[in-house]
Amino acid sequence: MRLSGSANQGNVTQRGDGNSVDVVISGSVNAFSLSQTASAAGLTGNDAVLEQVGLGNIAFQTQVGRGNRMTLRQTGDDNFADLLQEGDSNLMELNQNGDENNATLKQLGDAAPPIIITQNGMASVSITQYGE
């Protein structure tokens, strides 16, 4: 975890074995919460990446299950993201470039098709996707 800037707030919670997280925060008044759970044998843990560069970005990332991969990059100001994966073997990537992007992404179930989205300023998206 690498933090620079001022008044940034964050929380990382990992339960179970095999989880990995990489958090990079640069800027001020950014906030994040990242939670991962993986505890059964047979599949790897979850991997999460969070990068916030700018001011006033907010990120919620939650993965429940095993073998999930989630990447969130916020570059700009006042971006919001709420990402959830419940199940096994899911992939989600969100890139928020510019200012005032808003995203709520959910993958429920196992092996859902990947969600890969790029927002380039003042964009809004909400997706709920079901796997097996």
Side-chain angles (χ1 to χ4, degrees):
M1 188 177 312
R2 296 175 299 275
L3 304 172
S4 63
S6 62
N8 294 307
Q9 298 180 19
N11 180 58
V12 174
T13 303
Q14 298 189 98
R15 292 184 174 87
D17 297 326
N19 294 311
S20 68
V21 64
D22 185 22
V23 176
V24 178
I25 309 296
S26 177
S28 299
V29 197
N30 295 298
F32 70 91
S33 177
L34 196 153
S35 177
Q36 300 189 119
T37 302
S39 58
L43 289 175
T44 59
N46 298 304
D47 293 327
V49 174
L50 170 62
E51 296 176 8
Q52 290 179 318
V53 178
L55 306 171
N57 295 303
I58 298 172
F60 298 98
Q61 290 176 267
T62 303
Q63 298 190 107
V64 179
R66 298 170 302 279
N68 295 304
R69 307 289 174 262
M70 181 183 288
T71 301
L72 171 57
R73 292 184 178 92
Q74 295 176 312
T75 304
D77 300 337
D78 301 316
N79 293 299
F80 174 84
D82 188 358
L83 310 182
L84 169 67
Q85 293 187 134
E86 286 187 358
D88 299 335
S89 303
N90 294 303
L91 172 68
M92 182 181 292
E93 182 176 318
L94 174 63
N95 297 294
Q96 293 182 315
N97 304 311
D99 302 336
E100 298 181 23
N101 293 296
N102 187 325
T104 301
L105 307 177
K106 297 178 183 178
Q107 284 184 312
L108 308 173
D110 299 336
I115 294 177
I116 300 172
I117 294 176
T118 299
Q119 297 177 301
N120 288 313
M122 300 188 73
S124 184
V125 63
S126 180
I127 295 173
T128 299
Q129 176 172 266
Y130 297 91
E132 298 175 9

